[in-house]
Amino acid sequence: MTRNRRRLVAWLLAGVVLAVVLTLYDADRTGVSDPKAAPSATPSAALPGTATPAPTATPSPSATPSPTAPPGTGDPSPAPSPTACTSPGACGYPDANSTGPRIALERHDTGNMSVKKDGTVIKGWDIRGSLDVYANGVTVIDSRITSTNWWGINLRPGFSGLKVLHTTITAVPGKGPDNGGVNYAVSNMGGSSIEVGWCDISVFGNALSMGQGDLHDNYVHDLVAFRNQGGEWQHTDAVISGGGNKGRLTVRHNTLLNATPVDKGATAAVGLFADTGVVSSVLVEDNWLAGGAYALYGGGPGATGIRVTGNVFSTQYHPASGAYGPVTAWNAGGAGNVWKDNRMSDGRPVEPAP
């Protein structure tokens, strides 16, 4: 009996031991007994210095280059057109606020005055009349001229060095000698360059008339149509050159407007014509041009050395800037002729017709 009891106890102990062994074996195989062995539901951040690679992110829409990305960012699309311009002053071109005299003026009823002393400086004058210059190195600055003569200021042949700066030059419509009209605000009949800058010019038919000179930062506007002594409508141009010049004509950063109707003589904002000789050595750069039959006449077939760069052809009077288009008479094959970076005020590029 005792032997059977011992045998039963031994079997019971053996069964318990076997059960414990099996439990420990299963737990070790599955790893559930060790919470550290269970995989985390969310990947933990790699520790500094570890070589664990970060998962590759799915590309977001922002990784696609923007259509307006600046050059050099890998954007293959063409650059957008320049911002449209609404008016000369708003786009950095001269207007009534940036031209004309900067000081108070004293009235001078000069009539048609001749200037004959070299180095004369006229400053702060409100002139009722005109100036006919027979001298060298004359300067007219911070003044106003209201003319009823053929011109406002005229430099005679054989003289040089005229400067007209920060001056308003205008006329009385219907009171001029050309059947009531007035012809030239500033005329250069001399044999060298003159300078006209920061001037407010209006009324005259051909406002700035010369084959050579430095015309910059001027505001030419409100040209007045009239029939000349021949009974024909006088041609009107903000800037006009008849060709045959020996020196250089520079037309830079001006506002040149010609609102005259075509049937009343409108020609151009800038008219380069071979009337008295071949047109050569002209720079037309960074101007606001509007009006005329064409805004720009380019000099014709024989023109050479004509550079037209960076100008804005405004649509303020006509959809094509001029009544018939922005440019005509452009000699694309002329030596030294360059047409570059010219555009309409709405941003469209301007190219001359073949």
Side-chain angles (χ1 to χ4, degrees):
M1 186 75 177
T2 302
R3 182 182 301 171
N4 290 336
R5 188 177 297 159
R6 288 176 180 171
R7 188 176 295 168
L8 178 61
V9 170
W11 280 108
L12 288 173
L13 291 174
V16 170
V17 170
L18 179 60
V20 171
V21 169
L22 289 174
T23 300
L24 292 175
Y25 172 78
D26 187 63
D28 183 64
R29 182 176 63 84
T30 60
V32 295
S33 64
D34 183 4
K36 293 181 182 179
S40 171
T42 304
S44 61
L47 295 175
T50 63
T52 304
T56 303
T58 302
S60 66
S62 62
T64 303
S66 165
T68 57
T73 61
D75 179 17
S77 62
S81 60
T83 303
C85 280
T86 56
S87 67
C91 297
Y93 288 94
D95 61 9
N97 296 318
S98 58
T99 56
R102 302 163 294 179
I103 61 176
L105 306 181
E106 179 183 352
R107 179 161 173 167
H108 289 259
D109 292 315
T110 64
N112 302 324
M113 186 175 83
S114 295
V115 179
K116 297 185 177 181
K117 182 179 179 180
D118 289 352
T120 296
V121 175
I122 295 174
K123 182 175 183 178
W125 286 24
D126 184 357
I127 296 172
R128 307 305 168 94
S130 63
L131 300 177
D132 206 3
V133 180
Y134 294 85
N136 298 313
V138 172
T139 298
V140 181
I141 186 169
D142 288 314
S143 295
R144 178 184 176 90
I145 296 172
T146 304
S147 174
T148 55
N149 198 1
W150 294 90
W151 55 77
I153 303 176
N154 181 40
L155 180 65
R156 289 289 179 170
F159 299 95
S160 63
L162 174 65
K163 293 184 178 183
V164 185
L165 309 173
H166 297 286
T167 292
T168 294
I169 309 170
T170 189
V172 181
K175 299 296 184 180
D178 194 358
N179 199 27
V182 288
N183 293 72
Y184 313 109
V186 182
S187 171
N188 181 11
M189 299 174 66
S192 67
S193 180
I194 70 173
E195 181 183 2
V196 183
W198 305 286
C199 290
D200 183 326
I201 299 168
S202 61
V203 180
F204 294 88
N206 288 310
L208 297 171
S209 175
M210 61 197 70
Q212 51 195 324
D214 182 8
L215 311 179
H216 64 87
D217 302 289
N218 300 293
Y219 175 44
V220 182
H221 59 102
D222 294 307
L223 305 182
V224 173
F226 63 92
R227 292 186 185 273
N228 58 28
Q229 291 180 342
E232 301 172 335
W233 287 107
Q234 171 68 28
H235 289 288
T236 58
D237 303 88
V239 173
I240 185 171
S241 176
N245 53 299
K246 303 299 182 184
R248 184 172 184 80
L249 175 62
T250 297
V251 184
R252 179 185 283 121
H253 198 250
N254 303 278
T255 297
L256 304 173
L257 310 180
N258 187 353
T260 309
V262 174
D263 62 355
K264 293 185 178 180
T267 308
V270 175
L272 306 179
F273 304 111
D275 294 339
T276 56
V278 174
V279 179
S280 64
S281 192
V282 179
L283 173 66
V284 181
E285 180 179 70
D286 188 28
N287 300 280
W288 178 281
L289 309 176
Y294 291 90
L296 172 70
Y297 281 75
T304 60
I306 314 298
R307 296 179 59 87
V308 181
T309 63
N311 298 281
V312 175
F313 288 79
S314 170
T315 60
Q316 65 194 89
Y317 303 132
H318 307 288
S321 191
Y324 305 131
V327 56
T328 190
W330 174 252
N331 181 16
N337 290 350
V338 175
W339 184 278
K340 183 179 179 182
D341 297 333
N342 300 294
R343 63 185 176 90
M344 301 293 286
S345 53
D346 61 10
R348 291 174 292 148
V350 173
E351 295 294 338

